[in-house]
Amino acid sequence: CQMFSGKIDEASRIIGGYIQKYGGGQYITDAKYRMLVINLSYAGAAIPKEQQGKYEQVIADSKTWEKEYPTGNQLGDVRATRADAYVSLEKMDDAIESYIGAWKAAKSDELLSYALFEASKWLQKKGDWPRIGKMFQEFVQLKGGDHPAAPTAMFWIGRAKAREGKVDEAKKFMAETIQKYIADKKIDAVEMLLSQLAQLVGKKKPSTPPPSPAPGAGPTPTPPPTVIALTTPEPKATPKPTPEPLTVPMEEYEKLLASSEGNVSPTAKARILYGKSALAEFRKNPEEHDRFIALIAEEFKPEDLSAILLAQIGDSWLGKGEVEKAATYYNRLMDDFAKSDTVEYAYAGLGEIAFRKKDYEKALEYFTDAIEKIGAGAKLKDVMIGKAKTLYELGKLEESKKIFKQIVGVREWRGDATAMSVFMVGEIEAKLDKLPEAIGYYQKVFVAYQKYAPWVAKAYLRAADCFIKLNEPDKARKHLEEMLEKKENKERLSKYPEYEEGRKRLDELKKAMDVANAK
C-alpha cells in the first residue's frame, strides 16, 4: 500500500525488513520482486549520471531473482521489470526479448497484455513485421483462440502479413477471423479487423506505367520547357476533392465477408455496416460514411451493439445535438462494457451532456472519473477540456487555468484545442481582473493561431474590451480596425457574428472618442 501510494522510502523500509527477517518466508519471492520495482523507481528519480548504474543493478538483481526462483509466481513480473529497465537504457533488443519472456510466464491477463503489446510496440519501431507476426501466431497457439486477447493477436497477424506484402493472404486471413468473432459483441478487436480490412480493400491499385517505346520507334518527344512566371500568380482556390468511387472496393469487401452478410445476428449486421463506413472514410467519402453510421443508428437497438459501435453512435447523436439519444447509447456502453477501454467515450459524452445542461457538478464528476479512474486515452483531450471548462463555470479559476495551460503544452493536441485553451486562459485572467495579462493571451491567439478563425474573432473583441476597461480607447480602436480591415481578416472572419459585433463596437467607440475630443 505504501508503494502504490507513492511512499517509496517507507515501502522500501518495510519490505526490506521482511526480507531480512524472513529470508525463507512464504512471501519472499514477492518481496524481492517488489524491491526490484522500488529500485526501478529510484533509478528513474536519480540524477542523470547515476541512472545507468542503477538501471543496470535492477537488471542484475532481476537475473539473480530468476536464478534463485525459476518457477516463482512473479517470474513474468520480474522479466517485465527487467524489460522496463532495458527500455530506460535504450537497449531495445534486450527489452523485446525480456517482454516476450514476460508474457510467456505471465500469471495474469493484465501482465500478459502489457508485456505482449510492449514487445509488439518496440518490434514495430524496428519494422520487424515478420517477428511480430510470428510472435502473435505463437501466442494464439499457446493460449488458444478463446483467449480474450486472441482476436487482437489475430489482427496483428493479419497486419503483419499485409506489411510483408502478402496483401491477398492478409485480406483472406482477416475476413476469416472476422467471420469467427463477428456475432460476439464483447470482442472489441472485430472493429479493428474490419477497419484494417477496409483499408486493404480500399487501397488504390498502383497505376500502370506508360509503355516503353518499341525498338526503332524513334526518339521520345522532348516535352515543352517549363514557363517561369515573372510575377506571382493569384492563388487559386483548392478545389474540393471529389469523393472516390466505392463500387469496386465495396464489391471486394462484400465478397470477402459474404458468409458474414448472411449472419442473422443484429450485431453482425451492424458490424458489416461499420466496416462499410470505414471503407467510405478511407476512400475520403464522408457522405457515404455518415450514411452507413446513420443506418446503424436507425436500424439497430443499443443492446445489439458492441462497445465501439455504441461509442460511435453516441458521438454521432451528440454531434447532431441529439443529447437524449446520445445519452441512451453512452449509458448502455457504461452498463454493458464497464471494463472496456471504449467506456471512456461514455464518460466523455455524458460529461459533455451534463455540461450542456448546466449540471456542472455532474459534468465535473464524469470528466474527473474519466481521467483518474478510467485512465482515458483516446478521449483524454476531450475530457481534459471538459474538466477545464467545467471548473471555469464553477468559478474555480486557478484550477481551470492550470488544466488549460497543460492542454496548450501537449504537442500532439496542437490545433483548435490549443487556440481555445489560450483564449480561455485570457478569459480567466480577465475575470481575475489581470487585464494586461489577459490582453497578452488574446493577442497570442490572433498572432500565433490565425488559422483558427472563430477564436481569433473572439480574441480581437475581448482584447478591445480589456483596453477600454484600462481606459486606452486608442488601442481598442486599433485592434478593432485590424480585425475589420486587414485583408486576411476580412476573408476569414466576416462570416462570424463577432465580425459584425466588432463593426458595431468600432462605430460606438469612434463616436465616444469624438465626443470626448470635442469636450
Side-chain angles (χ1 to χ4, degrees):
C1 289
Q2 297 283 13
M3 186 174 79
F4 281 114
S5 61
K7 298 176 181 177
I8 303 298
D9 291 341
E10 183 65 9
S12 178
R13 185 186 66 77
I14 295 170
I15 296 174
Y18 175 88
I19 292 170
Q20 285 186 339
K21 193 170 183 180
Y22 302 102
Q26 181 180 355
Y27 303 104
I28 190 63
T29 58
D30 197 0
K32 288 187 176 181
Y33 156 63
R34 302 287 172 180
M35 286 303 295
L36 288 174
V37 176
I38 289 170
N39 289 334
L40 184 70
S41 179
Y42 280 136
I47 59 175
K49 67 179 181 180
E50 294 180 359
Q51 285 183 341
Q52 180 176 340
K54 289 183 179 293
Y55 283 126
E56 288 173 347
Q57 188 60 52
V58 170
I59 292 166
D61 290 344
S62 75
K63 290 178 179 179
T64 300
W65 186 103
E66 191 167 344
K67 285 179 182 178
E68 285 187 86
Y69 314 108
T71 59
N73 284 336
Q74 297 79 26
L75 178 59
D77 301 273
V78 168
R79 288 175 176 175
T81 303
R82 181 158 72 236
D84 291 343
Y86 277 131
V87 168
S88 297
L89 293 174
E90 298 183 0
K91 295 183 176 181
M92 308 320 302
D93 289 338
D94 291 324
I96 289 166
E97 297 307 321
S98 292
Y99 282 129
I100 291 172
W103 74 253
K104 289 181 178 179
K107 298 291 187 182
S108 70
D109 286 342
E110 290 81 7
L111 174 62
L112 185 151
S113 292
Y114 171 75
L116 181 65
F117 292 105
E118 280 296 301
S120 174
K121 178 176 76 176
W122 297 113
L123 284 168
Q124 285 176 64
K125 287 185 179 293
K126 288 184 64 179
D128 193 348
W129 288 97
R131 183 76 187 280
I132 292 170
K134 183 180 178 181
M135 180 180 73
F136 281 109
Q137 284 172 345
E138 185 179 5
F139 168 80
V140 174
Q141 288 167 359
L142 286 172
K143 302 297 181 179
D146 293 332
H147 189 280
T152 305
M154 291 181 180
F155 163 81
W156 285 105
I157 293 168
R159 191 170 182 189
K161 289 178 184 291
R163 292 299 294 265
E164 291 178 67
K166 304 171 184 176
V167 176
D168 289 336
E169 187 179 330
K171 290 177 187 176
K172 185 173 182 293
F173 178 84
M174 287 187 169
E176 289 172 353
T177 305
I178 289 166
Q179 289 162 16
K180 182 177 179 180
Y181 297 108
I182 194 166
D184 188 342
K185 66 180 183 179
K186 294 190 178 297
I187 297 178
D188 288 348
V190 172
E191 281 79 10
M192 293 168 56
L193 285 155
L194 285 163
S195 296
Q196 185 66 31
L197 180 62
Q199 289 186 31
L200 294 177
V201 170
K203 194 171 183 179
K204 282 185 173 181
K205 304 294 187 291
S207 56
T208 305
S212 302
T220 304
T222 303
T226 303
V227 178
I228 301 174
L230 298 179
T231 58
T232 304
E234 286 294 319
K236 295 181 180 179
T238 304
K240 189 176 179 180
T242 304
E244 298 179 2
L246 293 174
T247 308
V248 173
M250 192 64 76
E251 285 177 359
E252 184 181 3
Y253 172 86
E254 291 175 346
K255 184 177 178 181
L256 283 164
L257 296 178
S259 61
S260 296
E261 290 271 14
N263 194 311
V264 295
S265 160
T267 302
K269 291 180 181 297
R271 279 172 155 167
I272 289 292
L273 287 173
Y274 171 81
K276 291 180 178 181
S277 77
L279 176 56
E281 184 177 34
F282 183 72
R283 296 287 291 205
K284 298 181 173 59
N285 197 322
E287 291 182 2
E288 281 294 283
H289 167 270
D290 293 347
R291 184 175 73 83
F292 287 123
I293 293 295
L295 281 172
I296 299 172
E298 292 165 8
E299 296 184 7
F300 300 95
K301 299 174 183 177
E303 55 265 32
D304 295 330
L305 303 181
S306 65
I308 292 173
L309 291 184
L310 287 168
Q312 287 259 334
I313 303 304
D315 280 3
S316 176
W317 283 126
L318 185 60
K320 295 173 183 176
E322 298 276 2
V323 294
E324 298 306 327
K325 290 181 179 178
T328 301
Y329 287 86
Y330 291 137
N331 282 318
R332 174 64 66 169
L333 173 56
M334 194 171 282
D335 291 342
D336 289 358
F337 301 97
K339 294 185 178 181
S340 168
D341 290 341
T342 316
V343 77
E344 64 183 275
Y345 284 75
Y347 282 85
L350 291 170
E352 179 61 25
I353 289 168
F355 181 86
R356 293 186 190 184
K357 291 181 176 180
K358 301 186 186 301
D359 187 351
Y360 298 126
E361 293 292 347
K362 191 66 178 174
L364 184 61
E365 182 182 335
Y366 279 124
F367 292 135
T368 302
D369 284 351
I371 297 166
E372 297 179 4
K373 291 185 180 179
I374 304 302
K379 283 287 182 178
L380 181 58
K381 179 177 71 172
D382 293 343
V383 294
M384 289 279 284
I385 291 171
K387 185 174 182 179
K389 67 184 184 181
T390 304
L391 288 168
Y392 175 82
E393 294 295 340
L394 289 169
K396 299 178 180 181
L397 301 182
E398 290 297 339
E399 292 178 61
S400 176
K401 180 168 68 172
K402 181 180 178 182
I403 297 175
F404 277 125
K405 285 189 170 183
Q406 286 176 341
I407 295 166
V408 172
V410 180
R411 183 183 297 273
E412 291 78 11
W413 297 348
R414 291 284 167 86
D416 184 81
T418 317
M420 180 274 292
S421 297
V422 173
F423 176 82
M424 287 304 301
V425 175
E427 292 286 89
I428 292 167
E429 298 290 19
K431 271 204 169 190
L432 295 171
D433 207 30
K434 298 178 180 179
L435 299 181
E437 290 87 347
I439 290 167
Y441 284 105
Y442 295 137
Q443 289 173 334
K444 185 175 181 179
V445 172
F446 55 75
V447 170
Y449 303 101
Q450 298 175 22
K451 184 177 175 182
Y452 306 99
W455 300 109
V456 169
K458 294 177 189 294
Y460 270 116
L461 285 186
R462 295 293 290 125
D465 288 343
C466 291
F467 277 123
I468 290 169
K469 287 181 181 178
L470 289 170
N471 197 28
E472 297 185 61
D474 280 335
K475 290 182 179 179
R477 176 179 57 79
K478 287 177 182 176
H479 274 65
L480 291 171
E481 286 174 346
E482 180 178 307
M483 174 188 180
L484 298 167
E485 297 170 9
K486 196 174 179 181
K487 182 180 177 182
E488 52 265 38
N489 285 342
K490 284 183 180 181
E491 294 171 355
R492 291 183 297 121
L493 306 183
S494 57
K495 61 183 176 182
Y496 298 104
E498 288 84 1
Y499 191 80
E500 285 306 315
E501 179 64 23
R503 190 184 304 282
K504 178 182 173 184
R505 290 194 195 181
L506 182 60
D507 290 341
E508 291 172 354
L509 183 58
K510 284 181 176 178
K511 287 176 184 177
M513 292 175 71
D514 288 342
V515 170
N517 290 334
K519 290 181 180 180

